[in-house]
Amino acid sequence: MSGASAQPVGRSSERMKAVVYDRYGPPDVLRIEEVPKPEPASDELLVRVHAAAVNRLDVHSREANASNGPVISLISRLIFGVRGPRHRIIGSEYSGEVERVGAAVRRFKPGDQVFGVTGLRFGANAEYVTVGERSRVSLKPVNASFDEAAGIADGFLNAAGCLQQVRLRPGSSVLVYGASGSIGTAGVQLARYRGATVTAVCQTKDFDLLRSLGAFELIDYTQDDFTRNGKTYDVVFDAVGKLSFSRCRASLNAHGWYLPTDGAANLFLLPVTRLAGGKKVAIAVGSTNPQRDLAFLRQLVEAGHYRPVIDRVYEMDDVVEAAGYVESQQKVGNVVLRIP
């Protein structure tokens, strides 16, 4: 028998830097640590990460959703780990270059530049990450930098999943609440691409940005309450999960849709409003075909119909500051972590 110890499946003797955490809490639970470099399975890609996003999922998982109350926090712990995080390496969005592929991989090859979402597997805030060939991964838009590509996938997939539940037609009226965020900027651009007339609700400082993305009308939520202005819309898209169906009901047309991205109560309202007819509630289901939608996003970016919105780019060593900024809920578009 050889004296060398066997390596665990999926790990190698090589090391890499990663952003890890071992307990739930504020941004300062995050730290940089050297960990084993992952090994791709037969159906996986090994991606050398160039940039990764710091997004809402990362924030909520890191704090076990404590800010959303004890019930949601308990559910979060059941998903992510009861006593501590099940996945130590945080990060759920990335862009980079394929370094190696498993024996069964056919759609990608070493050298391909890719972007995508790891979702609840996390692991993206690291020098390397392994992702399945059939996971939420696509070739990177050729005209987007790694920084730009790292932050656009998750917001787009969330917005696409919501908007696919309604039939947007040229001239449909869509209000996007929280229009300056990751999901919001995606929602504005997607709705506009479908020919809808978009009203963006954000802060005045972001009006020029949202106008450049295709918004027709702009409302500053700190000065005006759109639910009291007497106007109605075919769709109210709550991109930040801070509204409710009861509050938005009067702002919907007779057969309008309320599309939230958060809120457990909407799970009960969905079947009730479907049976009652008229104004309806949908739930955030994400994309039903993420590989198709990411390929579509790549085409939109390359054709100039979709623009990545990046607020700030941080170096990997500044991950605590980056996480704190995202947690402040003041970001516009996306926040990116550059992996050295």
Side-chain angles (χ1 to χ4, degrees):
M1 179 181 293
S2 170
S5 60
Q7 292 297 322
V9 175
R11 309 175 90 177
S12 73
S13 59
E14 295 182 72
R15 311 288 286 181
M16 69 172 185
K17 288 184 177 180
V19 179
V20 304
Y21 69 125
D22 296 302
R23 61 184 177 88
Y24 299 117
D28 61 11
V29 302
L30 301 173
R31 68 182 188 279
I32 308 295
E33 183 178 294
E34 282 203 351
V35 299
K37 179 181 173 182
E39 284 283 323
S42 63
D43 61 344
E44 289 184 329
L45 326 173
L46 175 66
V47 178
R48 168 71 173 93
V49 180
H50 288 281
V54 181
N55 60 29
R56 189 168 71 170
L57 175 60
D58 301 335
V59 167
H60 289 329
S61 60
R62 189 204 69 235
E63 58 147 12
N65 271 286
S67 60
N68 291 318
V71 175
I72 300 299
S73 183
L74 175 60
I75 295 172
S76 179
R77 284 176 178 268
L78 291 174
I79 296 172
F80 301 129
V82 176
R83 296 180 179 276
R86 188 174 293 112
H87 300 284
R88 295 182 68 231
I89 303 175
I90 202 167
S92 54
E93 268 183 284
Y94 65 91
S95 68
E97 187 172 339
V98 177
E99 181 170 287
R100 191 147 42 94
V101 300
V105 172
R106 297 291 179 268
R107 296 178 58 244
F108 299 93
K109 64 183 185 303
D112 283 346
Q113 296 183 352
V114 296
F115 75 120
V117 180
T118 61
L120 299 184
R121 287 183 58 176
F122 296 100
N125 287 181
E127 292 180 320
Y128 292 90
V129 66
T130 53
V131 297
E133 180 185 23
R134 299 294 177 182
S135 68
R136 289 171 285 180
V137 59
S138 175
L139 293 174
K140 181 179 73 67
V142 295
N143 56 339
S145 67
F146 284 113
D147 289 348
E148 291 173 327
I152 57 174
D154 186 65
F156 182 87
L157 291 177
N158 275 285
C162 287
L163 292 173
Q164 283 167 4
Q165 298 177 69
V166 300
R167 293 183 177 179
L168 290 183
R169 299 178 176 86
S172 294
S173 55
V174 177
L175 179 139
V176 181
Y177 187 85
S180 61
S182 176
I183 300 174
T185 52
V188 169
Q189 295 186 80
L190 263 175
R192 187 68 194 93
Y193 180 77
R194 299 297 186 193
T197 300
V198 180
T199 296
V201 181
C202 54
Q203 294 187 52
T204 300
K205 67 180 181 64
D206 301 321
F207 278 7
D208 287 344
L209 168 66
L210 272 301
R211 193 176 288 112
S212 73
L213 297 180
F216 177 75
E217 185 178 358
L218 298 123
I219 298 174
D220 186 330
Y221 67 88
T222 67
Q223 300 177 20
D224 299 296
D225 184 348
F226 78 89
T227 66
R228 297 178 180 272
N229 64 15
K231 295 183 180 180
T232 58
Y233 306 89
D234 296 317
V235 175
V236 171
F237 180 29
D238 180 8
V240 286
K242 293 186 176 181
L243 301 175
S244 65
F245 179 59
S246 59
R247 181 180 172 189
C248 298
R249 188 178 186 119
S251 299
L252 293 171
N253 290 332
H255 295 281
W257 286 84
Y258 170 58
L259 303 182
T261 53
D262 214 339
N266 296 305
L267 292 172
F268 302 99
L269 288 172
L270 183 146
V272 172
T273 57
R274 296 287 178 90
L275 290 172
K279 304 175 182 182
K280 295 174 286 295
V281 174
I283 58 171
V285 295
S287 168
T288 56
N289 192 333
Q291 286 206 331
R292 177 200 63 196
D293 288 338
L294 285 180
F296 177 52
L297 170 58
R298 174 169 58 89
Q299 293 168 8
L300 289 178
V301 174
E302 290 179 348
H305 297 309
Y306 190 97
R307 177 153 59 93
V309 179
I310 305 298
D311 185 342
R312 297 183 183 182
V313 178
Y314 292 86
E315 297 302 319
M316 189 180 188
D317 289 341
D318 298 321
V319 63
V320 172
E321 182 182 348
Y325 179 59
V326 174
E327 194 169 75
S328 74
Q329 300 184 12
Q330 296 302 307
K331 75 179 180 70
V332 176
N334 304 279
V335 171
V336 172
L337 202 63
R338 187 172 290 150
I339 309 299

